Amino acid sequence: MAKSAQSRAAKSGGDSTPEEILTYYRDMLLIRRFEEKAGQLYGMGLIGGFCHLYIGQEAVVVGMQAAAEQGDTVITSYRDHGHMLACGMDAKGVMAELTGRRGGYSKGKGGSMHMFSREKGFYGGHGIVGSQVPLGTGLGFAHSYREDGKVTMCYLGDGAINQGQVYESFNMAALWKLPVVYVIENNKYAMGTSVQRSSAGTELYKRGVAYGIPGERVDGMDVMSVRKTGAAALAHAREGKGPFILEMMTYRYRGHSMSDPAKYRSKEEVAKMRQEHDPIDRLREYILSNKVADEAKLKDIDREIKDIVSAATEFAQQSPEPDPSELWTDVLLEA
Amino acid sequence: MSEITLVQAINRALTRAMRDDPTVVVLGEDVAKDGGVFRATEGLLAEFGEGRVIDTPLAEGAIAGLCVGLAAQGFRPVAEIQFTGFIYPIIDQMMNHASRIRTRTRGRLTCPMVLRSPCGGGIRAVEHHSESPEAIFAHMPGLRVVIPSSPARAYGLLLAAIHDPDPVVFLEPTRLYRAIKEEVPDDGASLPLDRAFVVREGSDLTLVTWGAMLKETMATGERLAAGGVSAEVIDLATLKPLDSETVLRSVAKTGRCVIIHEAPRTAGFGAEVAARIAEHGLLSLLAPIERVAGFDTVMPLLRLEQHYMPEEQRILAAARRVLAFR
């Protein structure tokens, strides 16, 4: 995701340029189509292990990345494919990791939840709910220590917010004024348990109040709102004022993982979100009604995305499997 | 009577324990409304209500700590930890509190809790979801560690674990959840928590294992039998306290022993079994003990998983080496 000088200017608070708006559309669409394909490949038995799809939540990470600067760092938990793509990681490498192939970002040894790219500032991909939050705080500590002016975006879910280590992290980040934006992706369900049934106090953006961490609730189904509020939060952290909490109100259309009894919500609820709040449909309407681009231009983007996903899918099936000797590598550095 | 799976046997034992004893409560992530990720707690909410079947927030450390508090007040909490990879934050509570409450209070307080968790690999589910941490818990004084290997033993051992006055870590092999079916009468009868089971009698070689590896070990026993070798197979079932008597009696008879487990080799529970034999049965050995185990690495993703798991060929090769030793 190249950042033009124009887009940098936009980040100071002005509205997005037409070019940027089309980039958001493209990036969200890439995640959507990539995830749909991943779901299919899982169904075909080509993906083992776990596969948590990001469909529905695309506006969150795309909006945040639109507000971020080169060199900022990102860490998240296991619903992570969207974050990798938004950070600019190659769709081929991500898809090949899902299928456990040598060409994957973790040599086919990590899978869906465990991919990393230092070049793109993406520090994983972590499978234990909430445990990435202290790690993200450490990434922020490094930025602070080096005084490099960069910020860590540490993503967590509404389930993770009830883990104790989140609060140990909040305290340290506030105490040492670390440049960390904690992005809570509130998709309303911690696996099968709703926020109302698992959280005392459902205004999750207020969870930093005791530590003096400011927070804000954002319409996470609207990429423009995410970018705007995200930019303000990142600026706060970048200026040395300490951490910030953003609560993104969002929704996942698919199950928690690939086997989900879906007893905890109604089909009507999911359908209503898709029909009335879909982040891609909303942006598409905005683009057309504000004449940011015409149907033909959007079709070009659709085609471009389709090609990227097809190429990734092909690569992910053709890349060789890891050699059995890989079982013993990367455990300790060989002497 | 119809045959049921291991996970249904767990469900049956939980239901029975809750019917028989109002102090039994079940708690964990998604155990109530969803009935658990593997459906082990299905139907409990409908029968026993929200007071006794509790969906908790995602907070494993606090779930375990809560159990210690409940148990100190006379309850018998049964907590489910969704996967063994999520169990590590709980080690603090198990090591520092659950396992030591009896000792620390000189018996004034006890901790009759059960920590249930699916364990082990072979389900294409990568690290966090495929691990075998039994040796970590077996190292903690004051805990019992139990791993069933069949529906009937799961039923009887879980009831025993719930009735036991001390904390029990109850690890359920995920890949056996729906792999075997057998008749399990709902008679409320417990199995002993201090005895290993001889599941195949033999005179030439002793194969010691537990949990899911019993499947491949039994298959190896059959294969050896076809070649005229009579292998005895022992399912330890309860790792702590270890029934070394049953193991030693068998080794005294056969003189040869292979220990099989899925967890990494170094300091795996097989090392303890081998040490017991070396301490108390060395002179009956006709060959060095062999261990067939997982490797000292992290549970790999699907395409390498088959190389990690101690499959039948590896067990058979070890058995043949031990048998050939003169």
Side-chain angles (χ1 to χ4, degrees), chain B residues 94-106:
Chain B
M94 298 312 283
M95 185 71 157
N96 283 321
H97 302 295
S99 66
R100 299 184 189 182
I101 283 290
R102 178 183 289 281
T103 318
R104 190 178 293 151
T105 65
R106 309 299 178 252

Side-chain angles (χ1 to χ4, degrees), chain B residues 145-309:
Chain B
V145 182
V146 179
I147 309 182
S149 63
S150 75
R153 278 197 287 284
Y155 176 85
L157 290 170
L158 182 55
L159 280 178
I162 296 171
H163 298 151
D164 194 82
D166 290 304
V168 179
V169 174
F170 195 88
L171 300 172
E172 302 162 5
T174 317
R175 84 184 152 101
L176 296 189
Y177 264 159
R178 292 180 175 85
I180 322 161
K181 276 189 161 189
E182 65 183 0
E183 289 199 356
V184 181
D186 191 9
D187 54 8
S190 300
L191 285 168
L193 281 187
D194 54 5
R195 216 176 64 206
F197 299 88
V198 177
V199 287
R200 187 181 202 288
E201 293 200 14
S203 52
D204 299 331
L205 170 72
T206 302
L207 301 173
V208 180
T209 192
W210 54 92
M213 288 312 303
L214 185 67
K215 192 163 166 260
E216 287 73 16
T217 305
M218 284 299 276
T220 306
E222 296 306 317
R223 187 80 79 84
L224 288 169
V229 174
S230 158
E232 181 145 301
V233 177
I234 297 175
D235 171 17
L236 289 184
T238 299
L239 270 52
K240 180 97 170 270
L242 171 62
D243 175 14
S244 35
E245 227 171 85
T246 297
V247 176
L248 289 167
R249 198 180 309 126
S250 177
V251 173
K253 179 168 62 172
T254 63
R256 300 173 197 271
C257 181
V258 177
I259 303 158
I260 302 104
H261 64 75
E262 217 177 285
R265 182 184 186 85
T266 301
F269 197 73
E272 179 63 30
V273 178
R276 297 279 179 106
I277 298 170
E279 284 170 339
H280 304 291
L282 183 68
L283 299 181
S284 46
L285 284 176
L286 302 170
I289 299 166
E290 279 219 29
R291 286 177 289 159
V292 180
F295 301 107
D296 290 343
T297 178
V298 180
M299 191 67 177
L301 194 60
L302 71 161
R303 313 224 179 258
L304 293 177
E305 188 179 29
Q306 54 181 324
H307 300 289
Y308 176 94
M309 299 293 284

